[in-house]
Amino acid sequence: MVFTGAGISTESGIPDFRSPGGFWTRHKPIAYADFLASAETRLEAWRRFLTIHDTIRAANPGPGHRAIAGLVARGHVACVITQNIDGLDVAAGVPRDRIIEIHGSGTHARCLACGERHEIAWVRDVISSTAAAPACTACGGIVKSATVSFGQPMPEAEMAAARAATLNADLFLAIGSSLQVFPAAGFPVLASHNRTPLVIINREETGLDGLAVLVLRGEIGPLMEELMARLDEP
Ligand code: APR
């Protein structure tokens, strides 16, 4: 199975979080409790999200996403756990039922009270016409992007599916993640403790290099393209 982080999307023009110039080098995360507590904080969180969303909707799958789609199509990869919210795995051709988005999705919004789905375009309209964070059209509840923020409960079904996929894997390939954020980074740890070989592909050292049987230190696109070329060798 494959586990991806923001590093696989930088070649698509989406900055990651912890590289120089990454998102958290420019912004302090807004905790879920703060998002709930203040309408002003919700508006600031939405303004930030809409900037990220501008980048996401202009992005195309990169060589890493395409290689993973190729590995799934060839039957080498059963499941992709992604920490990313950009939906580029599906855009690259990975079937939706092979993807587990453990940090949610940035493609839409949800009411936190009733679960009603809201589209990002609608949120943009509400904010530009009212200069306030949107309220649910069905129940008046707080509307948030369908992503998981720091301090927000992880999605139970996705976490259970990710655990099952990890325990079932023959090989755990972690690509483009600093492997610093838990519980997500708990899956490569679980794989390693379950005697499933952990392979890490990343430009920089990660928090879990010591658990890996192999670390490929380099750019994801060229490494993944070379991997695919070798797979296709007779
Ligand atoms: N090739 C190889 N590695 C790359 C490339 C690239 N083209 N671009 C970036 N990287 C590496 C960086 O060196 C970095 O170690 O990808 C890693 C990305 O790490 P982070 O920015 O920490 O992103 P990620 O691990 O996905 O963060 C996990 O933290 O903030 C939360 O919810 C957010 O899902 C995110 C989680």
Side-chain angles (χ1 to χ4, degrees):
M1 64 167 295
V2 168
F3 177 92
T4 62
I8 200 168
S9 296
T10 55
E11 288 171 289
S12 299
I14 302 174
D16 66 13
F17 295 95
R18 296 172 181 84
S19 288
F23 194 77
W24 297 141
T25 65
R26 291 175 283 121
H27 297 285
K28 183 173 165 306
I30 293 177
Y32 185 56
D34 297 335
F35 181 90
L36 296 178
S38 147
E40 293 70 49
T41 304
R42 281 197 289 283
L43 182 57
E44 166 57 18
W46 268 116
R47 288 196 197 289
R48 280 192 197 177
F49 176 82
L50 293 178
T51 306
I52 295 170
H53 188 260
D54 286 338
T55 309
I56 288 175
R57 63 181 175 172
N60 294 307
H65 300 107
R66 291 195 298 272
I68 291 171
L71 290 170
V72 173
R74 287 167 172 77
H76 294 303
V77 169
C79 171
V80 179
I81 300 175
T82 187
Q83 300 174 93
N84 301 338
I85 61 161
D86 54 35
L88 289 178
D89 307 274
V90 172
V94 179
R96 194 169 285 284
D97 65 357
R98 300 297 188 87
I99 300 267
I100 302 173
E101 295 175 311
I102 52 172
H103 288 161
S105 170
T107 57
H108 62 282
R110 285 261 180 230
C111 173
L112 297 176
C114 72
E116 178 84 0
R117 178 182 167 122
H118 291 74
E119 301 312 320
I120 304 299
W122 170 81
V123 173
R124 286 179 190 279
D125 291 345
V126 168
I127 290 177
S128 57
S129 55
T130 67
C136 176
T137 51
C139 77
I142 291 174
V143 174
K144 181 178 176 298
S145 66
T147 60
V148 181
S149 299
F150 285 106
Q152 186 171 358
M154 295 292 279
E156 283 176 21
E158 286 76 3
M159 291 297 282
R163 177 176 171 79
T166 300
L167 293 174
N168 195 38
D170 310 300
L171 176 79
F172 193 106
L173 177 57
I175 307 175
S177 178
S178 61
L179 299 176
Q180 294 179 39
V181 172
F182 289 79
F187 293 112
V189 172
L190 175 62
S192 171
H193 290 176
N194 193 42
R195 303 207 190 309
T196 301
L198 170 62
V199 173
I200 295 173
I201 297 180
N202 206 58
R203 177 189 294 152
E204 293 164 26
E205 235 179 278
T206 77
L208 301 182
D209 284 359
L211 294 179
V213 298
L214 174 68
V215 176
L216 298 179
R217 178 82 61 242
E219 294 302 304
I220 290 163
L223 280 168
M224 293 301 284
E225 283 168 346
E226 185 185 340
L227 170 69
M228 297 310 285
R230 293 194 185 188
L231 269 184
D232 292 337
E233 278 168 5

